[in-house]
PDB file of all heavy atoms in Angstrom:
ATOM      1  N   GLN A   5       2.742  -8.980 -34.821  1.00 94.00           N
ATOM      2  CA  GLN A   5       1.973  -7.729 -34.866  1.00 94.00           C
ATOM      3  C   GLN A   5       0.527  -8.007 -34.520  1.00 94.00           C
ATOM      4  O   GLN A   5      -0.054  -8.991 -34.981  1.00 94.00           O
ATOM      5  CB  GLN A   5       2.056  -7.100 -36.253  1.00 94.00           C
ATOM      6  CG  GLN A   5       3.408  -6.487 -36.566  1.00 94.00           C
ATOM      7  CD  GLN A   5       3.384  -5.643 -37.822  1.00 94.00           C
ATOM      8  OE1 GLN A   5       2.759  -6.009 -38.814  1.00 94.00           O
ATOM      9  NE2 GLN A   5       4.067  -4.517 -37.793  1.00 94.00           N
ATOM     10  N   VAL A   7      -3.183  -5.919 -34.424  1.00 97.00           N
ATOM     11  CA  VAL A   7      -3.855  -4.695 -34.864  1.00 97.00           C
ATOM     12  C   VAL A   7      -5.333  -4.780 -34.498  1.00 97.00           C
ATOM     13  O   VAL A   7      -6.053  -5.635 -35.022  1.00 97.00           O
ATOM     14  CB  VAL A   7      -3.696  -4.475 -36.382  1.00 97.00           C
ATOM     15  CG1 VAL A   7      -4.419  -3.198 -36.796  1.00 97.00           C
ATOM     16  CG2 VAL A   7      -2.222  -4.407 -36.762  1.00 97.00           C
ATOM     17  N   ARG A  21     -18.302  -4.964 -31.366  1.00 98.00           N
ATOM     18  CA  ARG A  21     -17.391  -6.099 -31.487  1.00 98.00           C
ATOM     19  C   ARG A  21     -16.013  -5.582 -31.875  1.00 98.00           C
ATOM     20  O   ARG A  21     -15.845  -4.966 -32.928  1.00 98.00           O
ATOM     21  CB  ARG A  21     -17.870  -7.124 -32.513  1.00 98.00           C
ATOM     22  CG  ARG A  21     -17.028  -8.400 -32.472  1.00 98.00           C
ATOM     23  CD  ARG A  21     -17.455  -9.420 -33.492  1.00 98.00           C
ATOM     24  NE  ARG A  21     -16.951  -9.114 -34.825  1.00 98.00           N
ATOM     25  CZ  ARG A  21     -16.833 -10.006 -35.795  1.00 98.00           C
ATOM     26  NH1 ARG A  21     -17.183 -11.264 -35.595  1.00 98.00           N
ATOM     27  NH2 ARG A  21     -16.398  -9.642 -36.991  1.00 98.00           N
ATOM     28  N   SER A  23     -12.105  -6.380 -32.922  1.00 98.00           N
ATOM     29  CA  SER A  23     -11.356  -7.407 -33.629  1.00 98.00           C
ATOM     30  C   SER A  23      -9.868  -7.149 -33.461  1.00 98.00           C
ATOM     31  O   SER A  23      -9.437  -6.004 -33.308  1.00 98.00           O
ATOM     32  CB  SER A  23     -11.692  -7.386 -35.125  1.00 98.00           C
ATOM     33  OG  SER A  23     -13.062  -7.621 -35.347  1.00 98.00           O
ATOM     34  N   CYS A  24      -9.108  -8.234 -33.497  1.00 97.00           N
ATOM     35  CA  CYS A  24      -7.649  -8.120 -33.415  1.00 97.00           C
ATOM     36  C   CYS A  24      -7.053  -9.069 -34.441  1.00 97.00           C
ATOM     37  O   CYS A  24      -7.263 -10.287 -34.353  1.00 97.00           O
ATOM     38  CB  CYS A  24      -7.169  -8.459 -32.013  1.00 97.00           C
ATOM     39  SG  CYS A  24      -5.376  -8.478 -31.822  1.00 97.00           S
ATOM     40  N   ALA A  25      -6.335  -8.508 -35.394  1.00 96.00           N
ATOM     41  CA  ALA A  25      -5.664  -9.302 -36.415  1.00 96.00           C
ATOM     42  C   ALA A  25      -4.229  -9.560 -35.974  1.00 96.00           C
ATOM     43  O   ALA A  25      -3.516  -8.632 -35.587  1.00 96.00           O
ATOM     44  CB  ALA A  25      -5.675  -8.559 -37.743  1.00 96.00           C
ATOM     45  N   VAL A  26      -3.819 -10.823 -36.032  1.00 94.00           N
ATOM     46  CA  VAL A  26      -2.497 -11.228 -35.555  1.00 94.00           C
ATOM     47  C   VAL A  26      -1.666 -11.751 -36.717  1.00 94.00           C
ATOM     48  O   VAL A  26      -2.153 -12.551 -37.520  1.00 94.00           O
ATOM     49  CB  VAL A  26      -2.623 -12.310 -34.470  1.00 94.00           C
ATOM     50  CG1 VAL A  26      -1.235 -12.675 -33.910  1.00 94.00           C
ATOM     51  CG2 VAL A  26      -3.533 -11.839 -33.348  1.00 94.00           C
ATOM     52  N   SER A  27      -0.418 -11.329 -36.784  1.00 91.00           N
ATOM     53  CA  SER A  27       0.479 -11.820 -37.822  1.00 91.00           C
ATOM     54  C   SER A  27       1.870 -12.032 -37.241  1.00 91.00           C
ATOM     55  O   SER A  27       2.188 -11.521 -36.165  1.00 91.00           O
ATOM     56  CB  SER A  27       0.557 -10.830 -38.987  1.00 91.00           C
ATOM     57  OG  SER A  27       1.062  -9.579 -38.546  1.00 91.00           O
ATOM     58  N   GLY A  28       2.666 -12.831 -37.942  1.00 86.00           N
ATOM     59  CA  GLY A  28       4.053 -13.012 -37.549  1.00 86.00           C
ATOM     60  C   GLY A  28       4.299 -14.087 -36.525  1.00 86.00           C
ATOM     61  O   GLY A  28       5.392 -14.184 -35.958  1.00 86.00           O
ATOM     62  N   THR A  29       3.286 -14.929 -36.259  1.00 79.00           N
ATOM     63  CA  THR A  29       3.469 -15.982 -35.281  1.00 79.00           C
ATOM     64  C   THR A  29       2.531 -17.143 -35.583  1.00 79.00           C
ATOM     65  O   THR A  29       1.629 -17.016 -36.412  1.00 79.00           O
ATOM     66  CB  THR A  29       3.207 -15.468 -33.856  1.00 79.00           C
ATOM     67  OG1 THR A  29       3.525 -16.497 -32.921  1.00 79.00           O
ATOM     68  CG2 THR A  29       1.750 -15.067 -33.664  1.00 79.00           C
ATOM     69  N   PHE A  31      -0.340 -18.479 -34.735  1.00 77.00           N
ATOM     70  CA  PHE A  31      -1.480 -17.975 -33.966  1.00 77.00           C
ATOM     71  C   PHE A  31      -2.253 -19.092 -33.289  1.00 77.00           C
ATOM     72  O   PHE A  31      -2.742 -18.929 -32.168  1.00 77.00           O
ATOM     73  CB  PHE A  31      -2.399 -17.189 -34.905  1.00 77.00           C
ATOM     74  CG  PHE A  31      -3.652 -16.687 -34.248  1.00 77.00           C
ATOM     75  CD1 PHE A  31      -3.624 -15.578 -33.427  1.00 77.00           C
ATOM     76  CD2 PHE A  31      -4.867 -17.333 -34.452  1.00 77.00           C
ATOM     77  CE1 PHE A  31      -4.767 -15.104 -32.824  1.00 77.00           C
ATOM     78  CE2 PHE A  31      -6.022 -16.869 -33.863  1.00 77.00           C
ATOM     79  CZ  PHE A  31      -5.971 -15.747 -33.045  1.00 77.00           C
ATOM     80  N   SER A  32      -2.367 -20.243 -33.943  1.00 76.00           N
ATOM     81  CA  SER A  32      -3.252 -21.293 -33.436  1.00 76.00           C
ATOM     82  C   SER A  32      -2.789 -21.838 -32.095  1.00 76.00           C
ATOM     83  O   SER A  32      -3.573 -22.455 -31.377  1.00 76.00           O
ATOM     84  CB  SER A  32      -3.348 -22.430 -34.457  1.00 76.00           C
ATOM     85  OG  SER A  32      -2.078 -23.004 -34.668  1.00 76.00           O
ATOM     86  N   SER A  73     -13.491 -14.612 -28.285  1.00 96.00           N
ATOM     87  CA  SER A  73     -13.420 -15.779 -29.162  1.00 96.00           C
ATOM     88  C   SER A  73     -12.226 -15.621 -30.094  1.00 96.00           C
ATOM     89  O   SER A  73     -11.690 -14.512 -30.236  1.00 96.00           O
ATOM     90  CB  SER A  73     -14.710 -15.944 -29.974  1.00 96.00           C
ATOM     91  OG  SER A  73     -14.923 -14.815 -30.802  1.00 96.00           O
ATOM     92  N   LYS A  74     -11.793 -16.716 -30.683  1.00 94.00           N
ATOM     93  CA  LYS A  74     -10.699 -16.624 -31.651  1.00 94.00           C
ATOM     94  C   LYS A  74     -10.981 -17.531 -32.835  1.00 94.00           C
ATOM     95  O   LYS A  74     -11.631 -18.576 -32.687  1.00 94.00           O
ATOM     96  CB  LYS A  74      -9.343 -16.942 -31.008  1.00 94.00           C
ATOM     97  CG  LYS A  74      -9.112 -18.375 -30.590  1.00 94.00           C
ATOM     98  CD  LYS A  74      -7.891 -18.545 -29.676  1.00 94.00           C
ATOM     99  CE  LYS A  74      -6.590 -18.062 -30.196  1.00 94.00           C
ATOM    100  NZ  LYS A  74      -5.684 -19.121 -30.676  1.00 94.00           N
ATOM    101  N   ASP A  75     -10.539 -17.105 -33.982  1.00 92.00           N
ATOM    102  CA  ASP A  75     -10.689 -17.865 -35.211  1.00 92.00           C
ATOM    103  C   ASP A  75      -9.287 -18.201 -35.700  1.00 92.00           C
ATOM    104  O   ASP A  75      -8.595 -17.359 -36.270  1.00 92.00           O
ATOM    105  CB  ASP A  75     -11.449 -17.028 -36.248  1.00 92.00           C
ATOM    106  CG  ASP A  75     -11.768 -17.812 -37.506  1.00 92.00           C
ATOM    107  OD1 ASP A  75     -11.025 -18.767 -37.829  1.00 92.00           O
ATOM    108  OD2 ASP A  75     -12.749 -17.466 -38.184  1.00 92.00           O
ATOM    109  N   ASN A  76      -8.863 -19.430 -35.456  1.00 89.00           N
ATOM    110  CA  ASN A  76      -7.497 -19.820 -35.789  1.00 89.00           C
ATOM    111  C   ASN A  76      -7.256 -19.842 -37.293  1.00 89.00           C
ATOM    112  O   ASN A  76      -6.134 -19.663 -37.748  1.00 89.00           O
ATOM    113  CB  ASN A  76      -7.164 -21.174 -35.181  1.00 89.00           C
ATOM    114  CG  ASN A  76      -6.946 -21.091 -33.673  1.00 89.00           C
ATOM    115  OD1 ASN A  76      -6.632 -20.025 -33.141  1.00 89.00           O
ATOM    116  ND2 ASN A  76      -7.131 -22.198 -32.984  1.00 89.00           N
ATOM    117  N   ALA A  77      -8.300 -20.055 -38.062  1.00 90.00           N
ATOM    118  CA  ALA A  77      -8.146 -20.085 -39.513  1.00 90.00           C
ATOM    119  C   ALA A  77      -7.882 -18.692 -40.080  1.00 90.00           C
ATOM    120  O   ALA A  77      -7.219 -18.546 -41.112  1.00 90.00           O
ATOM    121  CB  ALA A  77      -9.391 -20.680 -40.154  1.00 90.00           C
ATOM    122  N   LYS A  78      -8.382 -17.666 -39.389  1.00 93.00           N
ATOM    123  CA  LYS A  78      -8.245 -16.292 -39.872  1.00 93.00           C
ATOM    124  C   LYS A  78      -7.226 -15.479 -39.080  1.00 93.00           C
ATOM    125  O   LYS A  78      -7.018 -14.298 -39.367  1.00 93.00           O
ATOM    126  CB  LYS A  78      -9.597 -15.573 -39.819  1.00 93.00           C
ATOM    127  CG  LYS A  78     -10.650 -16.167 -40.733  1.00 93.00           C
ATOM    128  CD  LYS A  78     -11.947 -15.374 -40.653  1.00 93.00           C
ATOM    129  CE  LYS A  78     -12.995 -15.946 -41.598  1.00 93.00           C
ATOM    130  NZ  LYS A  78     -14.280 -15.187 -41.512  1.00 93.00           N
ATOM    131  N   ASN A  79      -6.619 -16.102 -38.066  1.00 93.00           N
ATOM    132  CA  ASN A  79      -5.674 -15.381 -37.195  1.00 93.00           C
ATOM    133  C   ASN A  79      -6.316 -14.147 -36.569  1.00 93.00           C
ATOM    134  O   ASN A  79      -5.718 -13.064 -36.536  1.00 93.00           O
ATOM    135  CB  ASN A  79      -4.411 -14.976 -37.963  1.00 93.00           C
ATOM    136  CG  ASN A  79      -3.465 -16.131 -38.184  1.00 93.00           C
ATOM    137  OD1 ASN A  79      -3.857 -17.289 -38.031  1.00 93.00           O
ATOM    138  ND2 ASN A  79      -2.245 -15.840 -38.551  1.00 93.00           N
ATOM    139  N   MET A  80      -7.518 -14.335 -36.051  1.00 95.00           N
ATOM    140  CA  MET A  80      -8.275 -13.227 -35.477  1.00 95.00           C
ATOM    141  C   MET A  80      -8.742 -13.587 -34.072  1.00 95.00           C
ATOM    142  O   MET A  80      -9.081 -14.734 -33.782  1.00 95.00           O
ATOM    143  CB  MET A  80      -9.505 -12.914 -36.323  1.00 95.00           C
ATOM    144  CG  MET A  80      -9.202 -12.438 -37.739  1.00 95.00           C
ATOM    145  SD  MET A  80      -8.517 -10.777 -37.796  1.00 95.00           S
ATOM    146  CE  MET A  80      -9.917  -9.807 -37.221  1.00 95.00           C
ATOM    147  N   VAL A  81      -8.803 -12.581 -33.225  1.00 96.00           N
ATOM    148  CA  VAL A  81      -9.436 -12.720 -31.919  1.00 96.00           C
ATOM    149  C   VAL A  81     -10.444 -11.589 -31.795  1.00 96.00           C
ATOM    150  O   VAL A  81     -10.231 -10.484 -32.312  1.00 96.00           O
ATOM    151  CB  VAL A  81      -8.399 -12.706 -30.770  1.00 96.00           C
ATOM    152  CG1 VAL A  81      -7.654 -11.395 -30.725  1.00 96.00           C
ATOM    153  CG2 VAL A  81      -9.068 -12.995 -29.444  1.00 96.00           C
ATOM    154  N   TYR A  82     -11.556 -11.890 -31.137  1.00 98.00           N
ATOM    155  CA  TYR A  82     -12.663 -10.943 -31.060  1.00 98.00           C
ATOM    156  C   TYR A  82     -13.064 -10.721 -29.612  1.00 98.00           C
ATOM    157  O   TYR A  82     -12.890 -11.586 -28.749  1.00 98.00           O
ATOM    158  CB  TYR A  82     -13.869 -11.470 -31.830  1.00 98.00           C
ATOM    159  CG  TYR A  82     -13.577 -11.813 -33.275  1.00 98.00           C
ATOM    160  CD1 TYR A  82     -13.372 -13.140 -33.656  1.00 98.00           C
ATOM    161  CD2 TYR A  82     -13.512 -10.826 -34.238  1.00 98.00           C
ATOM    162  CE1 TYR A  82     -13.100 -13.457 -34.973  1.00 98.00           C
ATOM    163  CE2 TYR A  82     -13.242 -11.143 -35.562  1.00 98.00           C
ATOM    164  CZ  TYR A  82     -13.035 -12.462 -35.925  1.00 98.00           C
ATOM    165  OH  TYR A  82     -12.776 -12.774 -37.234  1.00 98.00           O
TER     166      TYR A  82
END
Side-chain angles (χ1 to χ4, degrees):
Q5 287 191 319
V7 180
R21 189 181 79 159
S23 300
C24 175
V26 183
S27 61
T29 186
F31 177 77
S32 62
S73 61
K74 69 193 303 257
D75 186 333
N76 286 337
K78 296 182 178 179
N79 283 16
M80 297 288 293
V81 62
Y82 305 101

